[in-house]
Amino acid sequence: MKKTQLIFLSSIMGLLSFTGINSQTKKTSKNPAIFSNAVYEGTDKVYIDNPLNAGEFYNPILQGCYPDPAITRKGDDYYMVCSSFAMFPGVPIFHSKDLVNWTDLGGVLNNVSEFNPHDTGISQGVYAPGITYNPHNDTFYMIVTAFSGGLGNIIVKTKDPMKGWGSPIKLDFGGIDPSIFFDDNGKGYIVHNDAPDKGKELYNGHRVIKVWEYDVNTDKIIHGTDKIIVDGGVDLSKRPIWIEAPHLYKKDGSYYLMCAEGGTGGWHSEVIFKGDSPKGPFIPAPSNPILTQRYFGKDRKNKVDWAGHADLVKGPNDKYYGVFLAVRPNEENRVNTGRETFILPVDWSGEFPVFENGLIPLESKLKMPEGAVNKTGQDGFLPNGNFTFTENFNADKLDYRWIGLRGPREAFISTTKKGLQINPFDTNIKEVKPTSTLFYRQQHNSFLFVTTLEFKPKSSRDLAGIVALQNEGSNYVIGVTKKDKDTYLVLQKNSWPRRKGEIISEILASTKIDVKNPIKLQVKADGDKYEFSYSTNGTDFVNVGSTVSGDILSTDVAGGFTGALLGLYATSANDAMPE
């Protein structure tokens, strides 16, 4: 897979973005859906077979679609950001004191009047952020490429990531994957991926790394200072592809440029260069790559693959660590959980850094940094490994793990005494528009996702239920709708043909159902095998549509860069007609 810069022009919707449910204007709808609870339970065998011992924690540290991590540090506080594409809010951000236990701070780009991905494909929106703390002015910088609203490359700043971020500042350069570096003298530099100079592209996937000087006082690049510092990759004669995700570091008076190389798939890797100046020249390390999983057997147990797109930080006790993306394919080599955030210690005792155990098959457990105590899943810290997440929708503030797509969740949700109310948009899940769907990332290859729904459709245009989604043309919908005078439960599969054209929609099953009382809907997966079911008595579940393949929920079939999302869905533009 490769990244291609696409800038979409979009109009501003005028919605306000909020951080909590109750801070919004109350929404009204002629026929809302009420979800009184939701439970997500992960049961991956790798965690059952490999329980934690004292002093250990699980890798990945962020399960599900949290790719392209970047990290920075101020004192004992670590902040990490990831790509979000068309999910909203943009650029999720996390905080830790020890690199083991992380809290979710929401999204950096949470104002839809400033960042509005309302008409972008799910794999567009915003991706590959960088985050850097500048000690010279005590300011954090988040820099990223936004594929909506004509924004392009932007930067936002704050003195305290706990208290929110300023408005986006548009930067006048092209390319993608920017990051910012501040030298010891306070001078700023931006590095990013770009196309070769016009007429000098040698092959498909030939890219360059470019550097600009950055004016810290005006927050602008200094025109005329741009320079190509890497052409193609480590060795241009070998036609390396997709050199990207650059980061600059300084150690012992020398400058280091670390990049991803090989594309964000099976040939992905991390490479490093060294120079005497932020503007080079940069010489590749003789030991490249310093992180990859590309050399190992495809059938290895508990496979982790696609490792790369990394960033380094000095951790506790001045020990270096690197965060990076990788995938955990299922038994059919599908990547339904998407690209996740992993971490490894880094040995920088020699001239060049090397990820410890990053050149052997990655394992599911790591030794914790000295002094850390594993509190994952406790005291507000995010869980990892196998866990159960229960949501009763009765808290004052909705958990940040619940997200919108192409727009804020607050535009269609409200709270009632019965639970979460979704006020349906006149938008179908197959449209490239904001949908009235509250999403949760699939975080395990084997999981159960169940919700209790109260909904009485008034016409065939009304539907509420669950969607398992990879993109607008690759998803399953199980929901309650109406045909004539009867209420039905229907299972619909939406998929692209091999050569993308019009989405093909199939009704896999439908059955009459009584909705006098709330019903339970469930999605269950065992690797590539997905089952959809319902219960009218709260305990006995009836399978709908037998077992189906999760192939369309994987990027290798559906395309793009995201993992599967599980959504609480309501629409007044339903086209899933019972048979």
Side-chain angles (χ1 to χ4, degrees):
M1 292 185 291
K2 63 184 182 180
K3 296 181 179 177
T4 304
Q5 185 177 17
L6 298 172
I7 302 296
F8 288 84
L9 295 176
S10 59
S11 60
I12 298 299
M13 294 174 66
L15 296 171
L16 295 177
S17 176
F18 301 89
T19 56
I21 300 176
N22 296 322
S23 59
Q24 70 202 25
T25 302
K26 186 176 180 181
K27 308 297 189 301
T28 59
S29 174
K30 292 182 179 179
N31 197 25
I34 303 293
F35 294 88
S36 58
N37 58 52
V39 177
Y40 175 92
E41 181 181 359
T43 55
D44 280 349
K45 190 172 185 296
V46 61
Y47 300 121
I48 297 172
D49 293 343
N50 296 276
L52 290 175
N53 298 313
E56 294 180 335
F57 68 113
Y58 281 126
N59 216 8
I61 51 175
L62 295 180
Q63 294 167 231
C65 184
Y66 292 107
D68 307 332
I71 192 168
T72 196
R73 174 183 180 177
K74 176 188 177 183
D76 294 331
D77 294 294
Y78 300 88
Y79 295 94
M80 183 168 62
V81 291
C82 302
S83 291
S84 55
F85 303 96
M87 298 170 230
F88 198 95
V91 189
I93 181 168
F94 306 89
H95 171 257
S96 178
K97 289 282 190 179
D98 53 19
L99 301 178
V100 174
N101 305 293
W102 293 89
T103 54
D104 191 334
L105 303 183
V108 174
L109 302 176
N110 59 12
N111 188 336
V112 77
S113 68
E114 295 179 335
F115 167 67
N116 187 359
H118 74 90
D119 62 351
T120 62
I122 193 172
S123 286
Q124 300 301 320
V126 62
Y127 62 59
I131 186 170
T132 306
Y133 172 67
N134 181 2
H136 302 282
N137 60 3
D138 189 28
T139 301
F140 291 85
Y141 293 73
M142 193 285 292
I143 185 169
V144 74
T145 310
F147 296 86
S148 60
L151 287 174
N153 290 301
I154 58 173
I155 202 162
V156 294
K157 303 188 298 182
T158 185
K159 294 289 187 180
D160 185 355
M162 298 283 192
K163 297 180 179 179
W165 294 75
S167 296
I169 301 167
K170 186 174 172 59
L171 300 171
D172 189 19
F173 63 89
I176 59 173
D177 293 15
S179 67
I180 191 165
F181 165 78
F182 299 99
D183 209 342
D184 296 338
N185 58 8
K187 194 170 183 178
Y189 299 86
I190 289 175
V191 287
H192 65 93
N193 159 296
D194 210 341
D197 288 341
K198 190 173 181 179
K200 293 186 178 181
E201 182 176 355
L202 301 178
Y203 50 86
N204 184 35
H206 178 200
R207 303 289 287 180
V208 303
I209 301 299
K210 186 177 287 188
V211 64
W212 298 81
E213 294 181 23
Y214 180 78
D215 190 325
V216 178
N217 296 316
T218 63
D219 289 313
K220 294 180 180 179
I221 58 167
I222 301 174
H223 285 280
T225 63
D226 58 309
K227 180 183 179 182
I228 292 174
I229 51 177
V230 173
D231 186 3
V234 169
D235 186 348
L236 185 59
S237 69
K238 294 182 179 180
R239 300 167 70 89
I241 58 172
W242 302 108
I243 191 76
E244 56 192 7
H247 292 280
L248 274 172
Y249 312 96
K250 189 175 186 180
K251 183 176 183 289
D252 299 331
S254 295
Y255 298 85
Y256 293 83
L257 176 70
M258 192 173 74
C259 307
E261 187 184 280
T264 187
W267 202 246
H268 207 197
S269 70
E270 198 70 14
V271 296
I272 190 102
F273 306 78
K274 182 180 179 181
D276 294 327
S277 161
K279 303 186 78 171
F282 281 97
I283 308 301
S287 56
N288 279 318
I290 59 173
L291 168 70
T292 191
Q293 295 289 287
R294 67 191 180 199
Y295 299 121
F296 311 118
K298 293 184 178 180
D299 297 328
R300 61 190 183 273
K301 187 177 181 181
N302 299 326
K303 180 168 69 173
V304 176
D305 213 350
W306 300 9
H309 200 120
D311 195 9
L312 302 179
V313 69
K314 188 177 284 188
N317 303 305
D318 287 338
K319 168 71 175 178
Y320 280 92
Y321 283 81
V323 293
F324 58 97
L325 72 81
V327 297
R328 296 177 296 137
N330 65 24
E331 78 284 359
E332 296 294 335
N333 215 33
R334 309 296 188 198
V335 288
N336 298 36
T337 51
R339 298 172 301 152
E340 305 172 297
T341 289
F342 289 70
I343 191 169
L344 280 178
V346 171
D347 183 349
W348 207 340
S349 59
E351 183 179 6
F352 292 98
V354 176
F355 285 76
E356 295 182 16
N357 296 328
L359 297 173
I360 63 174
L362 290 171
E363 298 183 356
S364 60
K365 300 191 297 182
L366 283 178
K367 182 181 178 181
M368 286 192 292
E370 185 177 343
V373 177
N374 193 337
K375 297 181 180 180
T376 54
Q378 310 168 42
D379 302 331
F381 295 112
L382 292 171
N384 65 358
N386 284 334
F387 59 84
T388 298
F389 171 59
T390 302
E391 177 65 83
N392 293 317
F393 299 115
N394 55 11
D396 291 336
K397 189 175 183 181
L398 185 62
D399 194 290
Y400 285 130
R401 283 172 282 182
W402 294 107
I403 56 173
L405 179 60
R406 305 189 188 94
R409 63 192 192 182
E410 289 77 17
F412 56 84
I413 63 173
S414 55
T415 53
T416 71
K417 292 181 179 179
K418 292 184 177 181
L420 182 81
Q421 177 173 304
I422 293 185
N423 305 293
F425 291 162
D426 188 22
T427 306
N428 192 282
I429 200 69
K430 293 181 285 186
E431 297 182 70
V432 185
K433 296 179 181 179
T435 68
S436 40
T437 315
L438 189 64
F439 283 105
Y440 183 93
R441 293 167 174 85
Q442 179 181 331
Q443 297 179 291
H444 299 79
N445 284 312
S446 296
F447 71 89
L448 178 149
F449 182 70
V450 60
T451 187
T452 303
L453 169 68
E454 182 178 330
F455 181 65
K456 293 180 174 60
K458 294 181 179 179
S459 75
S460 61
R461 298 283 291 173
D462 296 334
L463 180 141
I466 296 175
V467 57
L469 178 137
Q470 215 290 326
N471 60 44
E472 63 275 5
S474 303
N475 57 77
Y476 291 100
V477 175
I478 182 171
V480 175
T481 188
K482 195 166 187 179
K483 180 181 179 182
D484 300 325
K485 295 182 179 181
D486 296 314
T487 302
Y488 280 79
L489 187 74
V490 62
L491 176 62
Q492 182 186 48
K493 177 183 179 181
N494 300 307
S495 59
W496 297 106
R498 284 188 178 181
R499 295 181 178 179
K500 285 195 174 180
E502 188 173 344
I503 296 170
I504 298 172
S505 296
E506 307 171 67
I507 301 299
L508 302 183
S510 62
T511 183
K512 287 184 182 180
I513 193 171
D514 183 354
V515 293
K516 291 180 182 178
N517 298 311
I519 67 167
K520 286 190 174 184
L521 298 177
Q522 178 177 280
V523 182
K524 187 176 183 180
D526 181 9
D528 192 58
K529 302 177 180 66
Y530 283 65
E531 293 184 356
F532 298 83
S533 56
Y534 73 96
S535 174
T536 54
N537 63 12
T539 55
D540 301 311
F541 282 86
V542 179
N543 180 265
V544 180
S546 190
T547 300
V548 298
S549 173
D551 57 355
I552 63 171
L553 304 178
S554 170
T555 55
D556 66 313
V557 173
F561 301 107
T562 62
L565 303 175
L566 306 167
L568 306 179
Y569 172 50
T571 180
S572 58
N574 174 53
D575 68 349
M577 301 304 171
E579 296 179 340

